[in-house]
Amino acid sequence: MTRAARLPLSAALLLTATACVPAPQVQPVEVWEGHAQVLLTRQQYRLTFTVNGGTHDLRGTLENLSSRDRFLVAGTALPAGDGREVSMTVTAQDGVRLNASILGFGFTNLSLKANAVLSARQTGRTMTGKLNVNGLGYPITLTRVQ
């Protein structure tokens, strides 16, 4: 009897199933830099993210290089014609929080950084769109650097 014939059936199935599992794919990191005019002040930004090719989910960070603030981003990057449509929520990370009370009315654990929404069209090495902060839209232009 050969050695393969002596393996229990469960071990043989496990070996076969393991051989069929696809190898995890490395998701390339994209780095974009640019600017937006927010509240009369020109702000420099760096957007770093990865996109899952199967689900089009986007995850990463947005750094305000002018103020050194850092935000988490999550959204989608959907193919569209010669580029893609990118939409993401920008969420403030842990940082300074406001706890205040005036005449019995108070704020507890209120972040001093505003959340935002970034929606843009990426064509080639350029991404243009709007950064919506507190209901106001600001044009943003980013260029791919990596």
Side-chain angles (χ1 to χ4, degrees), residues 1-111:
M1 184 177 266
T2 65
R3 187 169 205 244
R6 283 187 252 157
L7 282 175
L9 182 58
S10 60
L13 289 174
L14 180 61
L15 289 172
T16 304
T18 304
C20 296
V21 174
Q25 295 182 357
V26 177
Q27 299 170 353
V29 175
E30 296 185 29
V31 179
W32 298 78
E33 291 185 355
H35 64 276
Q37 190 85 12
V38 179
L39 295 176
L40 304 175
T41 305
R42 184 180 169 105
Q43 303 286 317
Q44 290 295 121
Y45 291 98
R46 178 181 294 134
L47 176 63
T48 305
F49 62 85
T50 59
V51 177
N52 181 318
T55 62
H56 304 289
D57 285 342
L58 178 149
R59 300 269 184 259
T61 60
L62 177 69
E63 297 174 72
N64 182 330
L65 300 175
S66 301
S67 68
R68 302 285 186 222
D69 289 331
R70 188 178 177 111
F71 302 88
L72 296 177
V73 296
T76 57
L78 299 172
D82 61 345
R84 61 185 176 180
E85 294 292 327
V86 178
S87 177
M88 63 190 82
T89 57
V90 180
T91 308
Q93 288 185 317
D94 290 339
V96 177
R97 302 250 177 209
L98 176 64
N99 293 309
S101 177
I102 298 174
L103 300 175
F105 296 99
F107 301 99
T108 303
N109 207 24
L110 180 66
S111 175

Side-chain angles (χ1 to χ4, degrees), residues 35-38 45 47 62 73 84-90 115-122 126-142:
H35 64 276
Q37 190 85 12
V38 179
Y45 291 98
L47 176 63
L62 177 69
V73 296
R84 61 185 176 180
E85 294 292 327
V86 178
S87 177
M88 63 190 82
T89 57
V90 180
N115 294 341
V117 174
L118 174 62
S119 52
R121 169 90 173 158
Q122 181 251 316
T126 304
M127 188 183 303
T128 55
K130 288 223 181 272
L131 180 64
N132 291 303
V133 182
N134 292 330
L136 299 174
Y138 303 99
I140 188 167
T141 303
L142 303 167

